[in-house]
Amino acid sequence: MTEFLFFIEVVVSGLLAGTMYSLVALGFVLIYKASSTFNFAQGAMVFFAVLAFVGFMELGLPFIPAFFVAVLLMFFVGFCTERLVLKPLISQSEDTLLMATIGLGFVLEGLAQAAWGVEVRRLDLGIGDFPIQWIIDTAGLFISALDLTASLVAGILIIGLALLFKYTKMGLGLRAVADDPGAASSIGIPLNNIMLVVWSAAGVVALVAGMMWGARAGVQFALVDLALKALPVLIIGGFSSIPGAIVGGLIIGATEKVLEVYIGPFFGGAIEGWAPYVLAIFFLLYRPEGLFGEKIIRRV
Amino acid sequence: MNANSDNILEIDAVEVVYGGVIAALHDVSLNVPRGKVVALLGGNGAGKSTTLKAISTMLAAEQGKVTRGSITYDGTRVKDQNPTDMVRLGMVQVLEGRRCFGHLTVEENIIAGAYSRKLSKSDINDELEKVYGYFKPLRDKRKSQAGFTSGGEQQMVAVARAMMAKPKMLLLDEPSMGLAPQLVAEIFNIVNELNEKEGVSILLAEQNTNVALRNADYGYIIETGHVMLHGTAGDLLHDEKVKELYLGISKSGRKNFRDVLREESA
């Protein structure tokens, strides 16, 4: 029985950790939908956003105002990206845009470190990364409070964004642009406004993801690379799907924990780092559009 | 707006260059009288789509530029506007190849057409009802994903979507492309109905010369970026050269107006 309980605990903590991946992946999905490009700068945005947030708190701003100033800053980053990067590259190929996002990433990393320095900061959200007593008492499971909070926040963000896409005019415009930017433009949907909204939203998602990761691992440069963990998540879930980002994150989170605990010892441990990529390769072979990716509709 | 002009659209000696090097239009002049249907005819690469995109300002997205001449729409000089501005001014282009939003439903596609207008939910429903009145087959398909509907239905979606912007003028780029003759007839019937009942002026680019001229008031024939011939639709339909070169009633090996001019000057 304790054996089974331990398995449940591994799965649950894996799922909860997975929501952190989902959060990062969500930022990629937003931009992929609008620009059909993989945004290599997403990791840098996560780093930039949370470093700015911590920087504002160090200046003496309380938590909530610091958060909103950071949100405003990410809106500004979105605005500058639209004006300085996307607009001059309009009608260029997706590959060009992809390269531009790599450049944007370097710029953001550099700016963040120039403004706030390179040392690792501690971010205290007031939620500890330790098990909740109440859950230990009732279910006998050790579940981290931070994991639980992160998954709640991720859930709220995801539901909010999904509702926005499905039911608002802006959302309809975004989905239209995702399908065919040229046709969207021909009926008067302003592409630059849509890009502005999407990049700003991705910036806010990056901020939230950065805060969750920063609280666990410290606010440091490694966050940039951590964002690449979203790649297998996106391959499994599908690049263009918000539900895909969530489920992909959960699958990666749970499998990597289970594999680490039960199979890891045979490989000398630390398979967490590469197991998700192996899983992603299987998806690429057998279901390249991902679980929830939009099937390519092609009339012949 | 411009009271002394009966033309909603006037194009004067327009030259278009793509990417700074490739001239697609050399000298195109044409007028669209208010409330009329004008056909722009010619083969592949003649410059029909380029002409339409120059008018709707969609050229910029393809690195094309109007380098000479002028385009005046409804009294406004078309120059620095973007497609969103043009839609607000009441000019909507229906792009070649239908270009529906494949993952959206038919109804979402049509509603997206009203993006440039500030409408309440009930206004949108009224407009939808009106549009379904013209495009009757779409009513049953409203919940279908547009990417899975037939070519004829997609063409209807594309025109219906454009109508939601409440245009004064529609630019239609090859609405007959890849459609069976009955469907072509059905589409053109709707287009004529929109022209008569809604008073929408229409500039129509077509390769299907016969169908286009039967449904238009006036026609222009362009080849390699030049206007070769223009006249009322009736005159063009009975013109011997048009019959020979565009309606397939051929006697000799002449293939286009260039050949005709060459023969006549020889």
Side-chain angles (χ1 to χ4, degrees):
Chain A
M1 189 60 209
T2 49
E3 190 66 15
F4 181 68
L5 212 59
F6 178 65
F7 176 72
I8 297 285
E9 196 174 292
V10 170
V11 171
V12 170
S13 71
L15 287 175
L16 292 176
T19 58
M20 308 259 273
Y21 295 138
S22 304
L23 259 180
V24 179
L26 193 59
F28 284 99
V29 169
L30 282 173
I31 287 175
Y32 190 84
K33 273 179 105 77
S35 306
S36 318
T37 193
F38 183 81
N39 175 23
F40 271 105
Q42 190 69 28
M45 280 164 75
V46 170
F47 176 58
F48 181 91
V50 67
L51 199 57
F53 168 72
V54 174
F56 291 138
M57 292 222 339
E58 280 174 359
L59 286 178
L61 281 180
F63 185 90
I64 306 256
F67 178 77
F68 281 108
V69 175
V71 166
L72 286 181
L73 181 68
M74 290 320 284
F75 284 170
F76 182 67
V77 169
F79 175 78
C80 291
T81 308
E82 199 277 315
R83 272 301 128 83
L84 304 175
V85 182
L86 302 177
K87 206 166 183 185
L89 289 181
I90 202 154
S91 82
Q92 299 291 344
S93 78
E94 286 149 16
D95 301 335
T96 311
L97 208 56
L98 184 79
M99 297 310 283
T101 67
I102 297 178
L104 178 68
F106 284 124
V107 170
L108 285 177
E109 286 164 20
L111 279 180
Q113 294 180 68
W116 292 288
V118 289
E119 67 271 27
V120 179
R121 320 288 177 94
R122 224 174 65 79
L123 173 60
D124 187 7
L125 297 177
I127 312 150
D129 196 1
F130 46 74
I132 300 170
Q133 193 59 43
W134 178 77
I135 298 181
I136 299 175
D137 294 342
T138 48
L141 294 173
F142 288 79
I143 304 295
S144 154
L146 182 66
D147 277 346
L148 208 58
T149 316
S151 43
L152 274 179
V153 170
I156 291 167
L157 258 185
I158 285 157
I159 291 168
L161 284 171
L163 292 177
L164 193 82
F165 286 153
K166 187 77 191 153
Y167 295 107
T168 66
K169 186 172 167 180
M170 183 56 86
L172 180 64
L174 172 72
R175 286 185 291 142
V177 171
D179 260 14
D180 187 337
S185 168
S186 81
I187 51 169
I189 297 177
L191 296 186
N192 47 348
N193 287 7
I194 300 279
M195 292 302 164
L196 184 61
V197 169
V198 167
W199 280 76
S200 301
V204 174
V205 170
L207 172 63
V208 176
M211 286 167 67
M212 296 302 159
W213 280 106
R216 162 161 295 162
V219 177
Q220 53 175 319
F221 193 74
L223 288 179
V224 174
D225 299 326
L226 220 154
L228 282 185
K229 258 281 173 63
L231 193 58
V233 172
L234 292 168
I235 289 169
I236 290 173
F239 276 87
S240 54
S241 162
I242 291 180
I246 307 165
V247 176
L250 295 178
I251 291 175
I252 291 286
T255 46
E256 86 177 3
K257 277 274 162 20
V258 169
L259 291 177
E260 176 75 36
V261 170
Y262 291 98
I263 302 178
F266 299 110
F267 292 91
I271 66 169
E272 244 177 326
W274 51 264
Y277 293 93
V278 175
L279 200 61
I281 287 170
F282 278 103
F283 270 86
L284 283 178
L285 284 173
Y286 298 106
R287 205 180 161 85
E289 77 270 19
L291 284 175
F292 291 82
E294 277 168 343
K295 289 238 172 49
I296 299 147
I297 300 178
R298 195 169 285 156
R299 297 187 71 243
V300 186
Chain B
M1 271 172 226
N2 196 343
N4 53 24
S5 173
D6 291 338
N7 294 329
I8 188 162
L9 182 73
E10 294 181 347
I11 301 179
D12 186 33
V14 160
E15 179 187 76
V16 169
V17 176
Y18 281 108
V21 280
I22 305 157
L25 295 188
H26 297 282
D27 177 15
V28 170
S29 300
L30 63 85
N31 294 325
V32 178
R34 206 173 284 277
K36 298 289 183 196
V37 180
V38 173
L40 185 58
L41 306 164
N44 277 328
K48 304 185 299 294
S49 294
T50 302
T51 308
L52 295 195
K53 284 177 192 157
I55 303 165
S56 65
T57 72
M58 295 283 290
L59 265 186
E62 296 173 10
Q63 290 161 359
K65 231 177 144 178
V66 177
T67 44
R68 246 199 331 223
S70 70
I71 299 171
T72 312
Y73 162 71
D74 207 10
T76 313
R77 179 82 193 268
V78 179
K79 209 166 171 163
D80 299 321
Q81 289 89 342
N82 61 33
T84 312
D85 299 331
M86 294 313 288
V87 171
R88 291 221 177 90
L89 290 172
M91 143 119 50
V92 186
Q93 178 172 11
V94 178
L95 295 166
E96 182 176 4
R98 312 186 255 277
R99 308 278 290 268
C100 291
F101 305 124
H103 296 98
L104 272 59
T105 65
V106 165
E107 189 153 290
E108 283 174 331
N109 263 276
I110 301 174
I111 292 172
Y115 198 90
S116 60
R117 302 166 67 191
K118 291 194 169 43
L119 296 177
S120 70
K121 193 108 192 149
S122 67
D123 288 342
I124 285 181
N125 284 334
D126 292 346
E127 293 282 304
L128 265 179
E129 278 311 305
K130 203 167 114 189
V131 166
Y132 286 137
Y134 288 107
F135 300 88
K136 293 181 183 72
L138 295 185
R139 197 189 291 271
D140 298 330
K141 295 271 179 176
R142 62 207 294 173
K143 298 289 175 213
S144 316
Q145 217 178 357
F148 291 120
T149 57
S150 73
E153 285 158 354
Q154 290 192 8
Q155 187 63 61
M156 286 190 199
V157 169
V159 182
R161 185 173 71 182
M163 283 308 293
M164 286 296 276
K166 207 172 177 53
K168 284 187 252 179
M169 172 156 204
L170 274 184
L171 307 174
L172 302 180
D173 199 347
E174 284 206 37
S176 77
M177 194 173 88
L179 298 182
Q182 300 107 294
L183 282 170
V184 174
E186 197 178 345
I187 300 273
F188 274 95
N189 282 340
I190 298 174
V191 168
N192 275 326
E193 216 183 337
L194 291 171
N195 172 248
E196 279 158 27
K197 293 189 187 158
E198 303 290 326
V200 186
S201 312
I202 287 162
L203 178 59
L204 174 75
E206 261 298 346
Q207 292 202 42
N208 191 335
T209 310
N210 190 17
V211 171
L213 285 178
R214 279 177 204 292
N215 288 284
D217 299 303
Y218 208 85
Y220 288 80
I221 294 180
I222 60 174
E223 268 174 25
T224 57
H226 297 271
V227 174
M228 292 311 218
L229 186 70
H230 60 95
T232 64
D235 287 351
L236 289 179
L237 266 176
H238 296 103
D239 185 283
E240 284 304 320
K241 286 175 207 145
V242 175
K243 271 190 193 168
E244 179 188 334
L245 301 173
Y246 285 93
L247 299 173
I249 312 165
S250 174
K251 353 180 208 186
S252 58
R254 301 192 292 190
K255 288 201 176 61
N256 56 35
F257 273 100
R258 294 240 139 155
D259 297 342
V260 176
L261 292 176
R262 214 172 289 138
E263 266 174 43
E264 282 173 2
S265 66

